[in-house]
Structures are given as C-alpha cells and as structure tokens.
Amino acid sequence: MYRILEFLRQEKGFISGEEIGKRLDISRAAVWKGIKKLREEGYVIEAVTNKGYRLILHDTMYNEKEIAQGLATKKLGYPVYFFKETDTTNGRLRDIAAGGETEGAIAVAEQMTAGRGRRGRPWEAPAGSGIWMSILLRPNIFPSQASVLTLLAGLAVCQSIEEETGLTPSIKWPNDIMLNGKKLVGILTEMECEMQQTHFVIVGIGINVNTTEFPEGLMDVATSLYLESGRTFSRKNILQRVLLNFEKLYMELLDSHCSFAPFLDRYKEKCSTIHQEVKVLGKETFFAQAVDITPEGELVVIRKDNGKKEVVFSGEVSIRGGKTSE
Ligand code: BTN
C-alpha cells in the first residue's frame, strides 16, 4: 500500500489504476485495495472516472511513513516506531533499546494511556493533539553528565517551535518550555547505566500542539500552541524540526566532549528563569532569587532566608507568582 502512496505522491495530476498497476506490477484489484487501505488511514485520495486517482496532500497525516518522509537528519528518526496507542513511549523505547536497537531510533505515539511525567506524575497524552516522542541515544558519557542532554533537548524544542510557528516560548530551567506563563512542553530523560557507564539514554518529549482543552486542574497551568495562537499546526513538521535541531546540538555536544559551556549563551538567551524569584524543591524547599546558569548548566540562586549563594544541580524550581505545573 505504501508503494502506491509513494507513486501518488510523485504524480502531480491524476493517474489511472491501470497505470499504477502496470508500473508496480500488481493487479487493478490490488491497486483498489491499497487505495482503500490508505483512505482508511486518513489519506484523502480523489477518484475521477476516466482519469484515475490523485492524492490530496495535506499536512495533518501523522504516522510512521509521514514522519520518515522528508526527514533531513542523519541519525535521529531512524527507524520510527509509531504506535496508534501505547502506555508510554519512554517505556516502549526502553524495551526496544534493551533489545539492541541503534542510536537514533524514535518511538512516537498518537495516544499514550500511561504517559510518564517527572517525579512520577502522569502526563496527559490524548490522541490527535500533541507530539509524544522518545528518542534513543547511546552517547559515550558518564551518567552524571546525562542531564546536559535534557537541557539541549529543551533548547532544541524551544528553537523548533519558534521556527515552525513564529511564537516565542521560553525555557523554565531546566527544561520545561513555557508560553505566556503556562507549560507547553515537558521533557523526561531516563537512562540505563552502571556506576561509570551509560548504556543508553531515552529523551522523552511531550509537546501540546493542537490541544483544545485540558482536564480540570491543568487548564490554569498547561497550554498548547493552538490555545495560544488560535491556529493549528502540523505535528509532523514540528517533530521533524525538533529532530533536526536536536541532532545538530547533539553532534556539537559530542564534538565538545559533552561540555555544556559552548551552549551556555544560547541557552541563557531562551531561559526565563534568571532574575525570577523561585521556589527550589529539592531535599530542602526554599525561596530564592535565580541569578545565573553555570557553564555546567546548573542554576545559581541567592537564598531569601540567609542571602547565601547556592547552586541547584537538578530537581525543580517553581516560579513565584507565575503559573507552573507545581
Ligand atoms: C514532565 O513532567 O514535564 C515531563 C513530561 C514528559 C512527557 C513525554 S511524552 C513522550 C515521553 N513518553 C512519556 O511517557 N513521557 C514523555
């Protein structure tokens, strides 16, 4: 069926079933069956007597084939594992990776029934509205360095959204992407490692694209590109752009021996946390003023209670007075 799709994609105008059959060396009945299947998948194929078939191209199709088609990356996105419904793409890709899959493979779901968020929280991932994607990486880094991948994923997603939509989201350190004070994107990085060795890393990215509403309780803190702009966007185009931008940053990271320093200025430019009052949620919870990001990607804060400077390594900050997912 996908050979027929390729064929229709290349043809500008109509092409008869007979001609398709001849070129692909299949019967007219097989062509008709293939067309029927493609339509069932959601492709709009016009049929006119005496003229044949024509594919009406549209950007809303979202499946393995569409995502792979036109990917400009060298590594990321090969192969694409697409699930109409799955529990969690991070979990699925983890199993796939444990079976030996190569770096760059991605798992994408139309819908997740048990999407995972940070700190054991659930992640809402209904069908038709967002990008729920996990990326498999096998970098030669120490487990302690892996958090830099999360920072770069945030930067790549932020850049990609800006390029694809013209909207200007910002990064809430370390890696939430915010738009107009609400959370637009969540990133969850998980890894398989031993003390000194990383076997693989799964970077899970959730982007609320065309979501029209959120469950009660989330409406105040979460948003989507659609809700902020009134426009719908092609998930495929955004996903492909994220892969391309993330791959560029990832390659640069490997070239720089996994140092975050070369990315610091770019990251800081997009990061809205600096100069904000924050609540640091870690072993200890305290209020502070965020003042800088270190070349290692940590947040520098000045505590409100004792005026001391501290470096926050990971964990979470919630912006005081702003809306967050906390
Ligand atoms: C967060 O809590 O902010 C992180 C949310 C991460 C959601 C993404 S969607 C794709 C991937 N698969 C999951 O189950 N979670 C991540």
Side-chain angles (χ1 to χ4, degrees):
M1 135 181 131
Y2 286 122
R3 282 169 68 212
I4 299 176
L5 179 64
E6 282 321 305
F7 209 78
L8 290 173
R9 217 193 279 278
Q10 281 157 25
E11 279 305 311
K12 295 272 176 300
F14 284 92
I15 179 147
S16 71
E18 193 179 349
E19 188 60 27
I20 300 174
K22 231 193 253 167
R23 300 231 208 132
L24 296 181
D25 199 20
I26 53 175
S27 68
R28 279 181 72 174
V31 172
W32 185 80
K33 243 180 160 174
I35 299 273
K36 191 165 165 266
K37 270 200 174 154
L38 287 170
R39 282 179 169 154
E40 279 164 12
E41 274 218 4
Y43 288 96
V44 181
I45 298 166
E46 198 180 355
V48 173
T49 327
N50 296 330
K51 279 180 150 182
Y53 300 105
R54 186 170 67 141
L55 178 69
I56 312 283
L57 279 177
H58 56 122
D59 264 348
T60 55
M61 285 308 298
Y62 191 61
N63 58 36
E64 180 183 327
K65 194 82 191 158
E66 292 297 321
I67 290 168
Q69 171 89 26
L71 249 186
T73 50
K74 291 197 177 74
K75 215 172 210 186
L76 301 194
Y78 306 104
V80 177
Y81 291 91
F82 189 87
F83 304 96
K84 282 208 166 123
E85 185 185 303
T86 189
D87 47 0
T88 149
T89 53
N90 266 28
R92 271 301 175 93
L93 194 59
R94 195 180 190 127
D95 295 344
I96 293 168
E101 183 54 276
T102 50
E103 172 165 89
I106 61 169
V108 180
E110 180 65 74
Q111 176 176 20
M112 292 194 298
T113 51
R116 293 211 285 251
R118 285 207 309 268
R119 299 190 157 217
R121 285 181 293 228
W123 179 262
E124 281 293 320
S129 61
I131 296 172
W132 326 125
M133 162 169 75
S134 302
I135 304 167
L136 169 61
L137 300 175
R138 293 185 181 276
N140 188 11
I141 56 172
F142 291 117
S144 56
Q145 294 174 299
S147 59
V148 79
L149 292 168
T150 319
L151 298 173
L152 292 193
L155 183 56
V157 174
C158 200
Q159 289 171 341
S160 305
I161 289 174
E162 205 169 325
E163 288 164 12
E164 281 293 319
T165 69
L167 300 167
T168 45
S170 62
I171 304 173
K172 191 189 98 177
W173 183 89
N175 56 14
D176 282 347
I177 311 284
M178 313 293 287
L179 193 51
N180 300 329
K182 294 183 180 180
K183 180 160 162 172
L184 181 69
V185 176
I187 299 176
L188 175 69
T189 301
E190 298 177 293
M191 62 177 160
E192 195 86 7
C193 61
E194 284 165 43
M195 288 289 278
Q196 294 295 322
Q197 199 195 354
T198 306
H199 296 307
F200 59 80
V201 179
I202 307 280
V203 180
I205 300 171
I207 309 176
N208 300 321
V209 180
N210 297 323
T211 322
T212 52
E213 57 181 358
F214 290 94
E216 240 190 73
L218 277 187
M219 212 59 196
D220 272 0
V221 291
T223 196
S224 71
L225 293 170
Y226 170 77
L227 287 172
E228 295 304 319
S229 68
R231 289 180 286 150
T232 56
F233 296 96
S234 157
R235 287 182 291 168
K236 179 199 73 177
N237 290 353
I238 296 174
L239 185 155
Q240 290 185 336
R241 177 82 69 163
V242 168
L243 288 179
L244 188 63
N245 282 333
F246 188 38
E247 179 171 279
K248 283 187 198 154
L249 296 177
Y250 180 58
M251 294 303 169
E252 214 181 316
L253 181 75
L254 297 184
D255 283 347
S256 70
H257 306 287
C258 296
S259 159
F260 181 67
F263 306 96
L264 185 60
D265 288 346
R266 278 173 273 177
Y267 184 87
K268 274 164 80 167
E269 201 183 299
K270 298 265 177 268
C271 182
S272 56
T273 310
I274 306 166
H275 308 309
Q276 298 249 23
E277 266 193 38
V278 298
K279 183 176 168 190
V280 179
L281 310 149
K283 268 183 239 145
E284 202 190 343
T285 298
F286 58 88
F287 292 104
Q289 174 86 21
V291 290
D292 205 0
I293 311 266
T294 69
E296 285 74 40
E298 303 130 344
L299 187 70
V300 185
V301 299
I302 297 180
R303 289 179 72 126
K304 289 269 150 196
D305 52 358
N306 58 17
K308 281 194 181 150
K309 214 178 225 186
E310 273 196 27
V311 171
V312 183
F313 295 96
S314 61
E316 293 194 33
V317 297
S318 98
I319 311 294
R320 280 188 100 179
K323 289 171 181 154
T324 75
S325 57
E326 282 303 317

